[in-house]
Amino acid sequence: MKTYLYNTTGVCSRQMKIVIDGETIKSLEVIGGCNGNLKGISALVSGRNVDEVIESLKGIKCNNKMTSCPDQLATALQEIKNGQLVAQ
């Protein structure tokens, strides 16, 4: 298992702690943002395949922002897949 820390941009949350085992998301913890919604997202993505989550969440926008917390998670996961985000 590997743990990644991703600093979000353009959203209310500040950071995401993502734990991945192979191609499966084991857990997601989001610091800041809408607590209940982000706990819900965390529960929904835990146990899912990284590629499935990217496909499901990429491009979602929050109000008039160009991104959202789900979109930021998809971006983080894509950076992990591309080797741009290093495990802690």
Side-chain angles (χ1 to χ4, degrees):
M1 274 194 263
K2 294 183 180 179
T3 301
Y4 300 87
L5 296 178
Y6 180 76
N7 295 317
T8 60
T9 57
V11 294
C12 300
S13 64
R14 296 182 307 276
Q15 189 177 63
M16 295 181 175
K17 179 180 178 183
I18 308 162
V19 179
I20 297 179
D21 187 9
E23 291 292 319
T24 303
I25 299 169
K26 288 298 180 185
S27 66
L28 168 68
E29 179 184 350
V30 183
I31 292 100
C34 303
N35 189 38
N37 288 334
L38 294 169
K39 283 182 181 176
I41 291 169
S42 297
L44 290 171
V45 302
S46 293
R48 288 191 60 203
N49 177 277
V50 169
D51 289 326
E52 291 174 357
V53 173
I54 292 170
E55 186 177 322
S56 295
L57 302 181
K58 187 176 181 178
I60 293 174
K61 295 181 182 175
C62 182
N63 294 323
N64 58 355
K65 298 176 183 176
M66 295 304 295
T67 188
S68 66
C69 291
D71 183 58
Q72 287 291 289
L73 175 57
T75 299
L77 294 172
Q78 191 63 61
E79 287 186 15
I80 290 167
K81 284 190 57 144
N82 293 343
Q84 297 168 292
L85 192 60
V86 180
Q88 300 296 305

